[in-house]
Amino acid sequence: MRLSRLWQWLSGERTAIKEPSRLYAAEHGIVKSHISENALTVLSTLQQNGFHAYLVGGSVRDLLMGITPKDFDIATNARPEQVKKLFRHCRLIGKRFRLAHVVFGRDIIEVATFRKAASKAKHHFRKNGHGMLVSDNHYGRIQHDVLRRDFTVNALYYNALDEVVIDYVDGVNDLMHGRFRIMGNPEVRYREDPVRMLRAIRLMSKLNLQPESATEKAIPELASLLSEISSTRLFEELLKMLYGGQALANVKLMYRYNLLQYMLPFTSAIMSKHGKLSHLDQLGLENTDNRINRGMSINPAFLLSVLLWSSVKDREQGFRAQKHRPSTAFRMAADAVLSNQLRVTSIPKRITLMIMEIWRMQYPLETLRHQQAMTLVQHKRFRAAYDFLILRAESGENLKEIADWWTQYQNVDAFEREAMVLVLSNSNPSIENCR
Ligand code: ATP
Ligand code: MG
């Protein structure tokens, strides 16, 4: 059978899988109410029009684990133009992958036509000198589509209408046994798209999966390929790493697999020097995970401002030693650290501005001048800057007294606030001059 030979070839020593396993509702236990109405509408519209259509990838994986997926991707044999004709609000996007986005207000369901894996038809794919895919828009059948997926647990298809999971790669078994395997030859697949190494980390920590040895061994060896990836794509991955509720685990894993230096070079350098995260970084990561896991909102600049802070302080010392004025030394340090980070991962201007504001507010918050307290507390970045000050105090900096002062200041009325500032500056003038 052609498919089984292909699979054998792609997977090296691995046993060929001839036919897909089919799991029915009683076996897979997927709760249909976890599937978005919009995804179900797209699936049934496609099927009613004679096409095959399945939920695929992360959504099936998450449904099997009892997690409500955050997005629903659909794979179909309909071509993008055919999909577009079926839906009033549908746009076609992407050059490398031509995809259909079916739009339901703010919800978007992504519909991809089955495609062939790179190794199946080499002449249809363009790779650069490192083996990275730069174009792979060649349509195929579901048996082809399955082979271009990144990991076995992401290569599952679910026909939500008859409630059958289709598994060509033993992915359900892997998921149930906590195993994590890349599809095919790890080196080839990571070379084709080095971002798969980051996706591997994220999935292992999210689902607590144990990588098989070939899947994990290739990562540190090929980590430097990440430097070929655009800074924009790396920033998107960084956001997923930091704001998925597993930031601490992800940062540690990225470090362990040599990937962190291509995402957060400053944090990586500090970890190399001390063999662990700084206390502040550890607290910042835990704090973000806690907020996300409790469903609280987060400021996207906060964690980045934490992770880059100690490098800013180090450089500030350097510039001060060169006799720059403190405010100039601080500005130069902050600019240098941010622009270095921006070379690795782009960061939208709106976020770099927030990071700068959080940093810039630290000095006035620490030193607390009478006339500034009211202005500071009304600043749009006060909350993040205050949270940052608290974290610095918790991490061991000598800021507990002033951090407590700000906590109390926010909880009293205007009259008491005025009194607090007067009492503090009269009784402890050194606070005004602590730098
Ligand atoms: P998440 O929970 O972050 O959404 P996901 O696996 O669903 O995880 P998506 O980016 O939504 O990630 O991708 C959907 C599916 O597309 C994946 O499950 C996988 O099958 C496939 N896929 C995504 N990125 C790649 C890649 N770089 N290489 C191969 N397949 C990929
Ligand atoms: Mg997804």
mmCIF file of all heavy atoms in Angstrom, residues 390-421:
data_model
loop_
_atom_site.group_PDB
_atom_site.id
_atom_site.type_symbol
_atom_site.label_atom_id
_atom_site.label_comp_id
_atom_site.label_asym_id
_atom_site.label_seq_id
_atom_site.Cartn_x
_atom_site.Cartn_y
_atom_site.Cartn_z
ATOM 1 N N ILE A 390 5.641 45.922 43.495
ATOM 2 C CA ILE A 390 5.338 44.885 44.496
ATOM 3 C C ILE A 390 6.198 43.639 44.234
ATOM 4 O O ILE A 390 6.788 43.057 45.154
ATOM 5 C CB ILE A 390 3.834 44.481 44.425
ATOM 6 C CG1 ILE A 390 2.944 45.655 44.786
ATOM 7 C CG2 ILE A 390 3.530 43.255 45.267
ATOM 8 C CD1 ILE A 390 2.812 45.924 46.249
ATOM 9 N N LEU A 391 6.258 43.270 42.962
ATOM 10 C CA LEU A 391 7.036 42.080 42.598
ATOM 11 C C LEU A 391 8.513 42.280 42.927
ATOM 12 O O LEU A 391 9.189 41.371 43.418
ATOM 13 C CB LEU A 391 6.870 41.846 41.097
ATOM 14 C CG LEU A 391 6.736 40.422 40.609
ATOM 15 C CD1 LEU A 391 5.572 39.714 41.275
ATOM 16 C CD2 LEU A 391 6.538 40.409 39.093
ATOM 17 N N ARG A 392 8.993 43.481 42.662
ATOM 18 C CA ARG A 392 10.413 43.763 42.978
ATOM 19 C C ARG A 392 10.635 43.660 44.487
ATOM 20 O O ARG A 392 11.655 43.135 44.946
ATOM 21 C CB ARG A 392 10.796 45.155 42.471
ATOM 22 C CG ARG A 392 10.866 45.222 40.953
ATOM 23 C CD ARG A 392 11.125 46.646 40.477
ATOM 24 N NE ARG A 392 12.343 47.188 41.060
ATOM 25 C CZ ARG A 392 12.559 48.494 41.279
ATOM 26 N NH1 ARG A 392 11.617 49.392 40.982
ATOM 27 N NH2 ARG A 392 13.688 48.904 41.800
ATOM 28 N N ALA A 393 9.662 44.176 45.244
ATOM 29 C CA ALA A 393 9.801 44.100 46.706
ATOM 30 C C ALA A 393 9.799 42.629 47.143
ATOM 31 O O ALA A 393 10.632 42.202 47.946
ATOM 32 C CB ALA A 393 8.658 44.869 47.372
ATOM 33 N N GLU A 394 8.881 41.847 46.554
ATOM 34 C CA GLU A 394 8.810 40.414 46.926
ATOM 35 C C GLU A 394 10.068 39.654 46.526
ATOM 36 O O GLU A 394 10.447 38.669 47.156
ATOM 37 C CB GLU A 394 7.609 39.746 46.240
ATOM 38 C CG GLU A 394 6.298 40.056 46.905
ATOM 39 C CD GLU A 394 5.117 39.487 46.117
ATOM 40 O OE1 GLU A 394 5.318 38.659 45.218
ATOM 41 O OE2 GLU A 394 3.986 39.919 46.410
ATOM 42 N N SER A 395 10.713 40.141 45.480
ATOM 43 C CA SER A 395 11.891 39.411 45.017
ATOM 44 C C SER A 395 13.118 39.709 45.865
ATOM 45 O O SER A 395 14.177 39.136 45.642
ATOM 46 C CB SER A 395 12.185 39.732 43.554
ATOM 47 O OG SER A 395 12.814 40.988 43.458
ATOM 48 N N GLY A 396 12.964 40.625 46.840
ATOM 49 C CA GLY A 396 14.073 40.845 47.768
ATOM 50 C C GLY A 396 14.684 42.240 47.711
ATOM 51 O O GLY A 396 15.537 42.568 48.523
ATOM 52 N N GLU A 397 14.237 43.077 46.752
ATOM 53 C CA GLU A 397 14.764 44.450 46.744
ATOM 54 C C GLU A 397 14.220 45.178 47.973
ATOM 55 O O GLU A 397 13.113 44.891 48.452
ATOM 56 C CB GLU A 397 14.315 45.180 45.472
ATOM 57 C CG GLU A 397 15.125 44.811 44.252
ATOM 58 C CD GLU A 397 14.842 45.767 43.089
ATOM 59 O OE1 GLU A 397 15.205 46.946 43.174
ATOM 60 O OE2 GLU A 397 14.239 45.304 42.098
ATOM 61 N N ASN A 398 14.977 46.159 48.433
ATOM 62 C CA ASN A 398 14.608 46.847 49.658
ATOM 63 C C ASN A 398 13.500 47.875 49.388
ATOM 64 O O ASN A 398 13.719 49.079 49.471
ATOM 65 C CB ASN A 398 15.875 47.527 50.211
ATOM 66 C CG ASN A 398 15.613 48.143 51.565
ATOM 67 O OD1 ASN A 398 14.632 47.800 52.225
ATOM 68 N ND2 ASN A 398 16.474 49.068 51.973
ATOM 69 N N LEU A 399 12.316 47.383 49.054
ATOM 70 C CA LEU A 399 11.240 48.278 48.636
ATOM 71 C C LEU A 399 9.943 47.995 49.376
ATOM 72 O O LEU A 399 8.898 48.523 49.026
ATOM 73 C CB LEU A 399 10.982 48.094 47.125
ATOM 74 C CG LEU A 399 12.120 48.499 46.192
ATOM 75 C CD1 LEU A 399 11.854 47.992 44.784
ATOM 76 C CD2 LEU A 399 12.263 50.027 46.173
ATOM 77 N N LYS A 400 10.016 47.143 50.407
ATOM 78 C CA LYS A 400 8.779 46.711 51.038
ATOM 79 C C LYS A 400 8.011 47.889 51.636
ATOM 80 O O LYS A 400 6.796 48.001 51.462
ATOM 81 C CB LYS A 400 9.075 45.655 52.103
ATOM 82 C CG LYS A 400 7.818 45.208 52.820
ATOM 83 C CD LYS A 400 7.877 43.804 53.305
ATOM 84 C CE LYS A 400 6.634 43.358 54.048
ATOM 85 N NZ LYS A 400 5.439 44.148 53.918
ATOM 86 N N GLU A 401 8.753 48.766 52.319
ATOM 87 C CA GLU A 401 8.090 49.870 53.006
ATOM 88 C C GLU A 401 7.330 50.758 52.015
ATOM 89 O O GLU A 401 6.157 51.075 52.208
ATOM 90 C CB GLU A 401 9.160 50.692 53.740
ATOM 91 C CG GLU A 401 8.562 51.675 54.725
ATOM 92 C CD GLU A 401 9.629 52.564 55.370
ATOM 93 O OE1 GLU A 401 10.835 52.247 55.253
ATOM 94 O OE2 GLU A 401 9.247 53.564 55.963
ATOM 95 N N ILE A 402 8.009 51.081 50.925
ATOM 96 C CA ILE A 402 7.374 51.990 49.965
ATOM 97 C C ILE A 402 6.247 51.270 49.207
ATOM 98 O O ILE A 402 5.218 51.860 48.896
ATOM 99 C CB ILE A 402 8.435 52.591 49.006
ATOM 100 C CG1 ILE A 402 7.948 53.919 48.433
ATOM 101 C CG2 ILE A 402 8.827 51.679 47.900
ATOM 102 C CD1 ILE A 402 7.978 55.014 49.421
ATOM 103 N N ALA A 403 6.436 49.981 48.959
ATOM 104 C CA ALA A 403 5.378 49.221 48.276
ATOM 105 C C ALA A 403 4.127 49.175 49.163
ATOM 106 O O ALA A 403 2.999 49.382 48.684
ATOM 107 C CB ALA A 403 5.865 47.815 47.965
ATOM 108 N N ASP A 404 4.311 48.950 50.473
ATOM 109 C CA ASP A 404 3.166 48.930 51.400
ATOM 110 C C ASP A 404 2.491 50.307 51.433
ATOM 111 O O ASP A 404 1.276 50.413 51.530
ATOM 112 C CB ASP A 404 3.626 48.561 52.822
ATOM 113 C CG ASP A 404 3.994 47.082 52.916
ATOM 114 O OD1 ASP A 404 3.655 46.329 51.984
ATOM 115 O OD2 ASP A 404 4.633 46.696 53.916
ATOM 116 N N TRP A 405 3.339 51.325 51.382
ATOM 117 C CA TRP A 405 2.792 52.690 51.403
ATOM 118 C C TRP A 405 1.838 52.891 50.231
ATOM 119 O O TRP A 405 0.724 53.382 50.375
ATOM 120 C CB TRP A 405 3.956 53.700 51.343
ATOM 121 C CG TRP A 405 3.507 55.111 51.575
ATOM 122 C CD1 TRP A 405 3.446 55.779 52.757
ATOM 123 C CD2 TRP A 405 3.003 56.013 50.583
ATOM 124 N NE1 TRP A 405 2.952 57.043 52.577
ATOM 125 C CE2 TRP A 405 2.670 57.208 51.244
ATOM 126 C CE3 TRP A 405 2.801 55.920 49.207
ATOM 127 C CZ2 TRP A 405 2.155 58.314 50.579
ATOM 128 C CZ3 TRP A 405 2.273 57.027 48.536
ATOM 129 C CH2 TRP A 405 1.965 58.203 49.217
ATOM 130 N N TRP A 406 2.269 52.457 49.049
ATOM 131 C CA TRP A 406 1.416 52.624 47.862
ATOM 132 C C TRP A 406 0.154 51.778 47.959
ATOM 133 O O TRP A 406 -0.910 52.182 47.504
ATOM 134 C CB TRP A 406 2.198 52.248 46.596
ATOM 135 C CG TRP A 406 3.060 53.373 46.102
ATOM 136 C CD1 TRP A 406 4.409 53.440 46.121
ATOM 137 C CD2 TRP A 406 2.602 54.602 45.522
ATOM 138 N NE1 TRP A 406 4.842 54.627 45.593
ATOM 139 C CE2 TRP A 406 3.743 55.364 45.211
ATOM 140 C CE3 TRP A 406 1.346 55.146 45.235
ATOM 141 C CZ2 TRP A 406 3.673 56.636 44.641
ATOM 142 C CZ3 TRP A 406 1.274 56.404 44.661
ATOM 143 C CH2 TRP A 406 2.425 57.134 44.364
ATOM 144 N N THR A 407 0.271 50.621 48.560
ATOM 145 C CA THR A 407 -0.916 49.776 48.717
ATOM 146 C C THR A 407 -1.941 50.504 49.567
ATOM 147 O O THR A 407 -3.125 50.587 49.228
ATOM 148 C CB THR A 407 -0.527 48.433 49.394
ATOM 149 O OG1 THR A 407 0.538 47.852 48.643
ATOM 150 C CG2 THR A 407 -1.701 47.479 49.468
ATOM 151 N N GLN A 408 -1.463 51.063 50.670
ATOM 152 C CA GLN A 408 -2.373 51.764 51.575
ATOM 153 C C GLN A 408 -2.937 53.024 50.910
ATOM 154 O O GLN A 408 -4.129 53.320 51.018
ATOM 155 C CB GLN A 408 -1.623 52.129 52.859
ATOM 156 C CG GLN A 408 -2.569 52.486 53.992
ATOM 157 C CD GLN A 408 -1.834 53.077 55.190
ATOM 158 O OE1 GLN A 408 -0.620 52.879 55.342
ATOM 159 N NE2 GLN A 408 -2.552 53.798 56.019
ATOM 160 N N TYR A 409 -2.077 53.723 50.201
ATOM 161 C CA TYR A 409 -2.474 54.983 49.553
ATOM 162 C C TYR A 409 -3.679 54.791 48.632
ATOM 163 O O TYR A 409 -4.554 55.637 48.552
ATOM 164 C CB TYR A 409 -1.275 55.514 48.762
ATOM 165 C CG TYR A 409 -1.468 56.884 48.159
ATOM 166 C CD1 TYR A 409 -1.417 58.036 48.951
ATOM 167 C CD2 TYR A 409 -1.689 57.040 46.783
ATOM 168 C CE1 TYR A 409 -1.573 59.291 48.394
ATOM 169 C CE2 TYR A 409 -1.847 58.300 46.222
ATOM 170 C CZ TYR A 409 -1.786 59.427 47.023
ATOM 171 O OH TYR A 409 -1.951 60.666 46.478
ATOM 172 N N GLN A 410 -3.728 53.653 47.974
ATOM 173 C CA GLN A 410 -4.832 53.411 47.037
ATOM 174 C C GLN A 410 -6.140 53.106 47.759
ATOM 175 O O GLN A 410 -7.203 53.172 47.157
ATOM 176 C CB GLN A 410 -4.488 52.223 46.137
ATOM 177 C CG GLN A 410 -3.369 52.520 45.189
ATOM 178 C CD GLN A 410 -2.909 51.251 44.514
ATOM 179 O OE1 GLN A 410 -3.556 50.751 43.603
ATOM 180 N NE2 GLN A 410 -1.805 50.701 44.991
ATOM 181 N N ASN A 411 -6.026 52.745 49.035
ATOM 182 C CA ASN A 411 -7.235 52.325 49.750
ATOM 183 C C ASN A 411 -7.843 53.403 50.638
ATOM 184 O O ASN A 411 -8.741 53.110 51.406
ATOM 185 C CB ASN A 411 -6.922 51.087 50.605
ATOM 186 C CG ASN A 411 -6.614 49.900 49.734
ATOM 187 O OD1 ASN A 411 -7.193 49.765 48.651
ATOM 188 N ND2 ASN A 411 -5.684 49.067 50.169
ATOM 189 N N VAL A 412 -7.315 54.609 50.578
ATOM 190 C CA VAL A 412 -7.862 55.664 51.450
ATOM 191 C C VAL A 412 -8.391 56.818 50.615
ATOM 192 O O VAL A 412 -8.124 56.898 49.414
ATOM 193 C CB VAL A 412 -6.793 56.164 52.465
ATOM 194 C CG1 VAL A 412 -6.366 55.055 53.418
ATOM 195 C CG2 VAL A 412 -5.595 56.752 51.747
ATOM 196 N N ASP A 413 -9.158 57.724 51.271
ATOM 197 C CA ASP A 413 -9.749 58.832 50.508
ATOM 198 C C ASP A 413 -8.726 59.961 50.297
ATOM 199 O O ASP A 413 -7.606 59.904 50.801
ATOM 200 C CB ASP A 413 -11.016 59.345 51.205
ATOM 201 C CG ASP A 413 -10.723 59.896 52.597
ATOM 202 O OD1 ASP A 413 -9.562 60.306 52.846
ATOM 203 O OD2 ASP A 413 -11.644 59.913 53.436
ATOM 204 N N ALA A 414 -9.161 60.975 49.549
ATOM 205 C CA ALA A 414 -8.243 62.042 49.127
ATOM 206 C C ALA A 414 -7.615 62.764 50.324
ATOM 207 O O ALA A 414 -6.418 63.079 50.315
ATOM 208 C CB ALA A 414 -9.004 63.036 48.263
ATOM 209 N N PHE A 415 -8.429 62.969 51.355
ATOM 210 C CA PHE A 415 -7.930 63.687 52.529
ATOM 211 C C PHE A 415 -6.802 62.886 53.190
ATOM 212 O O PHE A 415 -5.725 63.403 53.486
ATOM 213 C CB PHE A 415 -9.103 63.898 53.498
ATOM 214 C CG PHE A 415 -8.720 64.681 54.711
ATOM 215 C CD1 PHE A 415 -8.501 66.058 54.641
ATOM 216 C CD2 PHE A 415 -8.569 64.031 55.940
ATOM 217 C CE1 PHE A 415 -8.132 66.760 55.771
ATOM 218 C CE2 PHE A 415 -8.204 64.739 57.072
ATOM 219 C CZ PHE A 415 -7.984 66.114 56.986
ATOM 220 N N GLU A 416 -7.055 61.621 53.372
ATOM 221 C CA GLU A 416 -6.045 60.770 54.008
ATOM 222 C C GLU A 416 -4.794 60.611 53.138
ATOM 223 O O GLU A 416 -3.683 60.506 53.639
ATOM 224 C CB GLU A 416 -6.633 59.387 54.314
ATOM 225 C CG GLU A 416 -7.448 59.376 55.600
ATOM 226 C CD GLU A 416 -8.012 57.982 55.856
ATOM 227 O OE1 GLU A 416 -7.308 57.158 56.447
ATOM 228 O OE2 GLU A 416 -9.158 57.748 55.413
ATOM 229 N N ARG A 417 -5.005 60.627 51.846
ATOM 230 C CA ARG A 417 -3.855 60.522 50.939
ATOM 231 C C ARG A 417 -2.908 61.699 51.152
ATOM 232 O O ARG A 417 -1.695 61.534 51.259
ATOM 233 C CB ARG A 417 -4.315 60.529 49.482
ATOM 234 C CG ARG A 417 -4.893 59.215 49.055
ATOM 235 C CD ARG A 417 -5.321 59.244 47.608
ATOM 236 N NE ARG A 417 -5.720 57.895 47.203
ATOM 237 C CZ ARG A 417 -6.043 57.542 45.980
ATOM 238 N NH1 ARG A 417 -6.024 58.430 45.015
ATOM 239 N NH2 ARG A 417 -6.401 56.305 45.703
ATOM 240 N N GLU A 418 -3.511 62.890 51.229
ATOM 241 C CA GLU A 418 -2.705 64.100 51.433
ATOM 242 C C GLU A 418 -1.912 63.966 52.733
ATOM 243 O O GLU A 418 -0.710 64.234 52.792
ATOM 244 C CB GLU A 418 -3.678 65.304 51.484
ATOM 245 C CG GLU A 418 -3.014 66.652 51.524
ATOM 246 C CD GLU A 418 -2.289 66.992 50.212
ATOM 247 O OE1 GLU A 418 -2.454 66.267 49.202
ATOM 248 O OE2 GLU A 418 -1.537 67.953 50.238
ATOM 249 N N ALA A 419 -2.624 63.501 53.771
ATOM 250 C CA ALA A 419 -1.968 63.353 55.079
ATOM 251 C C ALA A 419 -0.831 62.330 55.002
ATOM 252 O O ALA A 419 0.242 62.540 55.555
ATOM 253 C CB ALA A 419 -3.006 62.912 56.114
ATOM 254 N N MET A 420 -1.083 61.249 54.285
ATOM 255 C CA MET A 420 -0.042 60.201 54.179
ATOM 256 C C MET A 420 1.243 60.746 53.558
ATOM 257 O O MET A 420 2.342 60.451 54.000
ATOM 258 C CB MET A 420 -0.547 59.043 53.294
ATOM 259 C CG MET A 420 -1.387 58.034 54.012
ATOM 260 S SD MET A 420 -1.892 56.742 52.858
ATOM 261 C CE MET A 420 -0.356 55.822 52.688
ATOM 262 N N VAL A 421 1.064 61.542 52.506
ATOM 263 C CA VAL A 421 2.250 62.070 51.819
ATOM 264 C C VAL A 421 3.018 63.004 52.755
ATOM 265 O O VAL A 421 4.246 62.933 52.862
ATOM 266 C CB VAL A 421 1.846 62.820 50.533
ATOM 267 C CG1 VAL A 421 3.053 63.519 49.925
ATOM 268 C CG2 VAL A 421 1.252 61.842 49.542
#
